[in-house]
């Protein structure tokens, strides 16, 4: 039986050792999604390229789209922790900005993985729809933190939550178009543009 050029069959490893973590499987999957297209890539394609079985893939991920969110729980927890690290007298905008940047920071060797994740995300509407739950958690953490900031407008916490989410997405979108730039710097710039002003400065 013939198969498309460049494709491996499930279980065919091509001499490569199998990957051994969900993060590594996600890295393989994201690369293939960019090369072939998300809809054109099957779970079997990803499993074969990663040197694992289809069953092992589903032990790591409930669905194909879930591979993009393998690190999301850790990022959310880092964001939660970062929002609680404000120093006495430190402007709330500085706390939020530092929390976002640190939550999404990655080691240099993971730069390609992070960029691939962003590129796939903005190219595939189905993956964006899958992100709604993660977005809601991220936004709500910012809302909850902003409720502790004295402000005369009751809409302030909600504005902060949506601004944090919008800035995070906008920074990643720009990064996919200018990958030579630093994501942390882009996040800080977008937050500076979108966050409401410090109440003390108003």
């Amino acid at each position: 039986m013939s198969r498309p050029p460049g494709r491996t069959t499930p279980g065919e490893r091509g001499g490569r050792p199998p990957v051994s973590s969900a993060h590594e499987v996600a890295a393989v999957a994201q690369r293939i999604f960019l090369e072939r297209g998300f809809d054109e890539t099957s779970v079997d394609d990803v499993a074969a390229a990663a040197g694992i079985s289809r069953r092992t893939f589903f032990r790591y991920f409930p669905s194909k789209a879930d591979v993009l969110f393998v690190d999301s729980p850790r990022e959310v927890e880092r964001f939660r922790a970062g929002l609680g690290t404000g120093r006495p007298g430190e402007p709330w905008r500085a706390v939020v900005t530092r929390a976002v940047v640190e939550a999404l920071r990655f080691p240099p060797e993971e730069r390609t993985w992070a960029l691939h994740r962003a590129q796939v995300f903005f190219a595939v509407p189905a993956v964006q729809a899958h992100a709604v739950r993660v977005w809601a958690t991220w936004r709500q953490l910012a809302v909850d933190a902003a409720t502790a900031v004295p402000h005369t407008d009751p809409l302030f916490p909600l504005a902060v939550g949506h601004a944090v989410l919008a800035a995070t997405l906008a920074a990643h979108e720009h990064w996919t178009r200018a990958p030579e730039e630093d994501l942390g710097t882009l996040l800080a710039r977008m937050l500076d543009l979108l966050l409401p002003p410090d109440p003390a400065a108003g």
Side-chain angles (χ1 to χ4, degrees):
M1 180 181 297
S2 63
R3 68 179 190 274
R7 295 256 177 161
T8 55
T9 56
E12 181 181 357
R13 298 176 179 178
R16 292 188 298 268
V19 298
S20 57
S21 72
H23 185 89
E24 290 173 326
V25 174
V28 171
Q30 290 170 177
R31 174 177 52 78
I32 299 174
F33 293 159
L34 290 172
E35 291 173 355
R36 305 178 185 174
F38 181 82
D39 292 332
E40 292 74 19
T41 302
S42 69
V43 168
D44 287 335
D45 292 331
V46 173
I52 61 174
S53 68
R54 178 183 177 89
R55 180 179 296 180
T56 298
F57 177 92
F58 284 114
R59 282 205 295 265
Y60 286 137
F61 306 106
S63 73
K64 190 170 65 171
D66 281 297
V67 301
L68 269 74
F69 305 98
V70 64
D71 275 13
S72 293
R74 285 186 290 272
E75 290 167 347
V76 166
E77 287 310 308
R78 288 199 297 265
F79 185 42
R80 188 195 309 275
L83 289 170
T85 62
R87 297 180 289 273
E90 185 177 18
W92 72 273
R93 293 170 103 252
V95 176
V96 171
T97 298
R98 183 174 65 248
V100 171
V101 172
E102 291 301 319
L104 296 172
R105 188 182 300 279
F106 48 81
E109 64 271 18
E110 295 292 340
R111 180 182 176 85
T112 298
W113 171 85
L115 180 60
H116 283 178
R117 180 175 72 164
Q119 290 171 331
V120 174
F121 178 86
F122 286 105
V124 183
V127 172
Q128 296 169 25
H130 208 74
V132 170
R133 179 173 51 82
V134 176
W135 288 351
T137 302
W138 190 263
R139 183 178 61 242
Q140 190 60 47
L141 286 172
V143 170
D144 292 344
T147 58
V149 179
H151 202 285
T152 57
D153 194 328
L155 295 179
F156 174 74
L158 190 59
V160 169
H162 280 270
V164 166
L165 178 57
T168 302
L169 291 173
H172 278 84
E173 182 175 356
H174 178 78
W175 192 43
T176 64
R177 300 168 182 168
E180 72 280 0
E181 297 192 39
D182 177 70
L183 179 60
T185 301
L186 291 173
L187 287 165
R189 288 172 60 191
M190 286 295 185
L191 287 162
D192 187 54
L193 288 168
L194 293 175
L195 282 174
D198 191 320

